[in-house]
Amino acid sequence: MAEREPPVPVLYLLVIGAAALSWVMACRRWWLPLAIWVPCALFISSLIADFADPVIGAAVREELGVLYILEADLAGALLLVVPLMFANIRFTRQDERPPRRGSRRG
């Protein structure tokens, strides 16, 4: 059963990759990191669904231990929060920006 689950370093590399991609996308448009959030949420929900299954979850806890599940949950939480965080940072900075020259914002 353990061969079906991604190793913890792979999960953290996925978090770092999503953070880097979210940062680059947020520099372009504030809403672009939200496009990363959807596949990340689907991946994490499938991973957690395996842990919640009575048969698969018990086998994973027996083979990999509870620490693996905790680290996978932590990586999943980071994977879900990071794109939203970069989108929020960029969105709030956009509101603070002074109006452009020649624009008719009032």
Side-chain angles (χ1 to χ4, degrees):
M1 190 58 59
E3 63 272 356
R4 287 189 61 218
E5 303 301 326
V8 174
V10 170
L11 291 174
Y12 284 120
L13 284 175
L14 187 62
V15 169
I16 292 169
L21 192 59
S22 295
W23 178 70
V24 168
M25 292 174 88
C27 288
R28 192 80 175 131
R29 298 274 184 253
W30 73 266
W31 50 267
L32 278 176
L34 301 178
I36 295 174
W37 187 83
V38 172
C40 289
L42 292 173
F43 171 71
I44 293 302
S45 66
S46 69
L47 189 66
I48 293 191
D50 285 345
F51 297 154
D53 186 84
V55 176
I56 297 172
V60 168
R61 277 190 294 278
E62 185 179 312
E63 288 183 31
L64 298 175
V66 177
L67 186 60
Y68 174 80
I69 293 175
L70 291 174
E71 288 189 40
D73 287 343
L74 175 65
L78 288 173
L79 195 59
L80 291 178
V81 168
V82 165
L84 298 176
M85 180 186 67
F86 280 117
N88 185 35
I89 289 171
R90 179 69 176 174
F91 183 73
T92 55
R93 283 188 184 166
Q94 185 178 11
D95 289 343
E96 295 171 0
R97 204 179 310 158
R100 293 183 183 171
R101 252 174 107 179
S103 70
R104 300 195 178 218
R105 270 176 99 179

